[in-house]
Amino acid sequence: MTTQELYNQIQLKKSFLCVGLDVDLNKIPEHLLALEDPIFEFNKAIIDATHDLCVSYKPNTAFFEAYGIKGWMSLQKTINYINENYPNVFTIADAKRGDIGNTSSMYAKAFFEDLNFDSVTVAPYMGKDSVEPFLAFENKHTIMLALTSNEGAFDFQTLNVAGTQGEAKELYKQVLETSKTWKNSQNLMYVVGATKAEYFTEIRKIVPDSFLLVPGVGAQGGSLSEVCKYGMNDKVGLLINSSRGIIYASKGQDFAEKARAEALKMQQEMAALLV
């Protein structure tokens, strides 16, 4: 999917909502546990209930890998279901991969070719040769960690380091600026946490046109209006992720209906901000 196609979906649905599929068997409705593949059945119900209100789904691969081969099969069934039934929805493999070039090439093949995700999240700590193999895939997107919403983000990301001209700047800014020099950098998107809303103005000075994947709205305390005020560009340029607040809205038989209600609330807030 191209970024223009993604923007078209945002305009059509009046939404830039990304639903995170972080499936924990300890949190899903008990009646699903008797089924052959409760993870997939949970995802399928959530997807069917929310597909017209969101533009993206983001399975976090850890929540599938934790269950071994069965979990991986559930992930494959989930992405196949989205691609076959809702092909206009942008898919994100939240895998946070990143390794030396050879290994990154194999990670990229796994997510882009075998599973056919539109994008994958990566960590930039190992630099250019760990990210460029992902960027080589046409109409696929690499979503690089830039400024995250977790408490430990301040351990490294906001430390001042010497820039290319010798001036001091925060590490996350150096990461953003350097990434723009990499081959096929037009295929980059970035993770920026909603709890860091005051940083969006500075980030947009460096990457004005890129899409930003924004976790942290809702449960983690991030403000949708503040993120939009400082982070939105003329093509919206934002994917706001919500996971727990939507998918775990209920543990009863009505879990999908309640998930839709929560997604609808966010979609309506977004529609108002798009006016």
Side-chain angles (χ1 to χ4, degrees), residues 156-169:
F156 301 115
Q157 295 170 26
T158 56
L159 292 180
N160 282 324
V161 297
T164 53
Q165 306 299 319
E167 75 283 11
K169 64 181 66 179

Side-chain angles (χ1 to χ4, degrees), residues 58-59 61 90-98 104 107-112 115-123 130-131 133-135 137 140-145 187-191 213:
K58 182 179 72 64
T61 61
F90 186 73
T91 55
I92 303 169
D94 191 2
K96 299 180 180 72
R97 296 300 199 255
S104 281
Y107 280 140
K109 282 178 174 289
F111 291 108
F112 291 152
L115 292 173
N116 197 23
F117 275 92
D118 292 310
S119 63
V120 62
T121 58
V122 304
S130 71
V131 178
F134 293 94
L135 298 175
F137 287 75
K140 299 290 187 178
H141 304 276
T142 303
I143 308 178
M144 199 171 77
L145 301 177
N187 294 333
L188 277 171
M189 298 179 177
Y190 301 92
V191 176
L213 173 62

Side-chain angles (χ1 to χ4, degrees), residues 9 42 48 60-61 71 83 96 102 124 129 134 144 156 159 179-180 193 205 218 243 252 263 265-266 271:
Q9 286 298 302
F42 178 80
D48 286 341
N60 187 314
T61 61
N83 285 336
K96 299 180 180 72
N102 233 12
D129 56 326
F134 293 94
M144 199 171 77
F156 301 115
L159 292 180
S179 71
K180 291 171 63 179
K205 289 177 182 177
S243 301
K265 287 180 190 175
M266 291 200 70

Side-chain angles (χ1 to χ4, degrees), residues 67-134:
Y67 300 106
I69 187 63
K70 288 185 178 180
W72 196 259
M73 290 172 68
S74 298
L75 176 63
Q76 188 160 47
K77 287 165 68 175
T78 298
I79 185 61
N80 288 348
Y81 186 77
I82 297 170
N83 285 336
E84 289 167 10
N85 293 278
Y86 309 110
N88 291 325
V89 174
F90 186 73
T91 55
I92 303 169
D94 191 2
K96 299 180 180 72
R97 296 300 199 255
D99 207 332
I100 57 171
N102 233 12
T103 311
S104 281
S105 293
M106 294 303 176
Y107 280 140
K109 282 178 174 289
F111 291 108
F112 291 152
E113 291 185 351
D114 181 50
L115 292 173
N116 197 23
F117 275 92
D118 292 310
S119 63
V120 62
T121 58
V122 304
Y125 194 73
M126 293 182 71
K128 177 173 74 171
D129 56 326
S130 71
V131 178
E132 282 190 338
F134 293 94

